[in-house]
Amino acid sequence: MAGRRPYVAVVGGGIGGLAAAIGLRRRGIEVMVHEQSREVAHQGAGIAVGANGHRVLRELGVAQRLKGSAVEPVRADFRHWRSGRCMVWHPLTGAYEERFKAPFWTVERARVQEALLAELGAEHVHLGARCTEVERTERGAVIRFEDGTEDEADAVIGADGIHSVVRHSLFGPEDAVFSGTSGYRALIPMERLGHVPQLAEQVLWLWLGPGRHFIAYPVAGGSALNFLAVVPDRDWTIESWSTQGETAELLAAFEGWHPFVTEILAACERPGRWALYDREPQRTWSSGAVTLLGDAAHAMLPHHGQGANQALEDAVVLAHILGDVDADGAEAALRAYERVRRPRTRLLQAGSRKNADCFQLPDGPEAQARNVRLATLPDDLAWIHGHDAVGRLGSAPAPA
């Protein structure tokens, strides 16, 4: 690498965009993140960070910043929706970390974004910058903003989510795929849940039932509980972190479920509610000096708990490959990044769809067969959690 270093512009200040910027900065690349909000978003609730995502946070120097707020659940419990019977459980401390060489964390999304921003530095983030279009140029690409300003870069990374403007600019309109389900989320202070004694243990709870499922886990150093309740809902099609649902309708959807679930739901004053969408896998993510990352590239349903983890993997791979070229090599680097990442994310998109059906089987032979399969879950998911995005780069396709 003997030529001029590239200047890279990132559209989107979420987890993936900030992580990519940190990785690029650590490799000596000038970078600017353009975020449409007036502040780095604090919306959303909790996320699970598997060993594969944790390795990236460690690589970026961010994991240490999260130690006070992240929780390491002792195990994952799969429970019967009505009886509360534990169908199978798997340890998430000790054996998990020993096998995958990194811990499993549950943490608030906002804390992750704050830690990433602190590591990157606020001077590398342009707030209130709503992208309206990205166009390829002879030098690379130009981003146009709603206020009439522009930014031209040697490479542009679209990390602007499932409804990505960058994606639309590259490939035209394409509808996201509605799953026919809604997700309700909320964070509840643990002090309001003292009447649920099981929560004294820090556990990842997965309650599986006919047509719906409920997942809960501690965050904020154990001081709050995050839950996700997924229900069938063909009529609710609003995909937004800020849309709110009603506790009464949520309780009605889980009528007859075990008191553990219904008591948690009853303690929730105003759950967030959003329709669950994903996208069909793209044949390509890149065009010239512009590429996509995270949900903009491979939006997936939340049923593998891998959305944020895959954005982190994208970010570190892209930073390593793009950080090794000069400005003239940026387009080839983006193609190489895509060749590394696209096969894995396609599999996870498909698996996340299948998990929705798996989690929501009615009682009977199919559910019994699923419970047998759950016993081998650590082996079945080893390809996900054991993945080392940085370590695998030694055998990755070179820019060409």
Side-chain angles (χ1 to χ4, degrees):
M1 183 181 65
R4 177 178 60 84
R5 305 305 307 277
Y7 163 61
V8 179
V10 180
V11 179
I15 288 174
L18 293 173
I22 293 169
L24 289 164
R25 289 283 303 163
R26 288 168 78 91
R27 300 183 77 79
I29 302 295
E30 182 187 357
V31 63
M32 179 58 68
V33 176
H34 299 287
E35 165 57 38
Q36 67 178 354
S37 301
R38 294 291 176 184
E39 61 178 2
V40 172
H42 295 295
Q43 294 176 336
I47 59 172
V49 178
N52 54 315
H54 189 278
R55 271 187 286 273
V56 176
L57 293 175
R58 196 163 56 198
E59 161 83 7
L60 298 176
V62 174
Q64 186 68 28
R65 294 180 182 272
L66 290 167
K67 282 195 172 180
S69 56
V71 174
E72 188 175 355
V74 295
R75 67 179 185 274
D77 270 14
F78 291 85
R79 298 266 172 170
H80 184 269
W81 66 281
R82 184 170 52 199
S83 70
R85 175 176 58 88
C86 182
M87 298 177 292
V88 67
W89 66 274
H90 296 290
L92 288 178
T93 55
Y96 178 94
E97 185 167 359
E98 183 177 345
R99 179 171 189 174
F100 298 125
K101 311 306 178 192
F104 182 99
W105 278 358
T106 55
V107 62
E108 291 170 273
R109 179 181 294 272
R111 301 292 84 76
V112 178
Q113 288 185 258
E114 287 173 0
L116 289 164
L117 181 62
E119 184 67 26
L120 174 62
E123 67 273 19
H124 302 294
V125 180
H126 175 203
L127 296 173
R130 183 179 292 275
C131 170
T132 58
E133 182 187 22
V134 175
E135 182 181 353
R136 294 172 56 181
T137 66
E138 288 187 9
R139 174 189 168 186
V142 62
I143 307 168
R144 297 190 175 92
F145 300 103
E146 191 174 56
D147 63 1
T149 61
E150 298 181 348
D151 186 20
E152 189 170 8
D154 298 296
V156 171
I157 301 169
D160 51 339
I162 187 171
H163 302 298
S164 169
V165 173
V166 179
R167 179 185 180 125
H168 185 277
S169 294
L170 294 185
F171 305 114
E174 178 192 354
D175 290 336
V177 180
F178 178 43
S179 68
T181 59
S182 285
Y184 290 82
R185 282 189 189 269
L187 287 171
I188 306 175
M190 284 291 191
E191 61 192 26
R192 290 171 51 193
L193 294 168
H195 57 292
V196 187
Q198 299 97 319
L199 293 177
E201 280 193 288
Q202 293 187 327
V203 172
L204 170 62
W205 304 92
L206 302 100
W207 292 74
L208 313 185
R212 59 211 70 212
H213 66 276
F214 176 85
I215 298 172
Y217 48 78
V219 295
S223 66
L225 185 78
N226 175 82
F227 77 74
L228 166 65
V230 177
V231 302
D233 194 347
R234 289 284 171 189
D235 297 324
W236 184 271
T237 56
I238 302 173
E239 199 278 330
S240 170
W241 286 109
S242 59
T243 305
Q244 292 187 323
E246 298 290 341
T247 300
E249 66 192 10
L250 188 49
L251 282 167
F254 284 85
E255 184 179 0
W257 280 56
H258 191 275
F260 175 96
V261 174
T262 56
E263 288 176 11
I264 290 172
L265 296 180
C268 172
E269 293 181 345
R270 194 75 173 176
R273 179 187 183 188
W274 86 112
L276 299 182
Y277 287 83
D278 66 358
R279 286 190 179 274
E280 298 296 343
Q282 280 276 110
R283 278 203 250 176
T284 182
W285 301 347
S286 306
S287 178
V290 187
T291 196
L292 303 173
L293 180 153
D295 281 353
H298 46 71
M300 58 188 69
L301 296 173
H303 309 315
H304 256 316
Q306 280 290 311
N309 292 278
Q310 292 310 300
L312 288 168
E313 287 187 16
D314 286 351
V316 75
V317 169
L318 180 53
H320 271 256
I321 295 176
L322 187 54
D324 281 342
V325 302
D326 60 20
D328 291 335
E331 290 190 19
L334 299 188
R335 292 195 298 270
Y337 147 74
E338 182 181 332
R339 291 198 299 273
V340 172
R341 292 295 302 153
R342 207 157 52 85
R344 177 167 166 82
T345 58
R346 286 174 68 94
L347 289 174
L348 279 158
Q349 283 178 289
S352 295
R353 284 183 176 180
K354 290 178 182 176
N355 268 5
D357 295 332
C358 172
F359 286 171
Q360 299 186 357
L361 293 170
D363 292 345
E366 284 187 277
Q368 292 169 4
R370 174 206 60 205
N371 297 343
V372 171
R373 294 194 302 272
L374 287 175
T376 62
L377 200 62
D379 293 331
D380 297 339
L381 298 185
W383 69 277
I384 300 176
H385 293 257
H387 186 78
D388 183 349
V390 177
R392 296 287 182 92
L393 287 175
S395 58

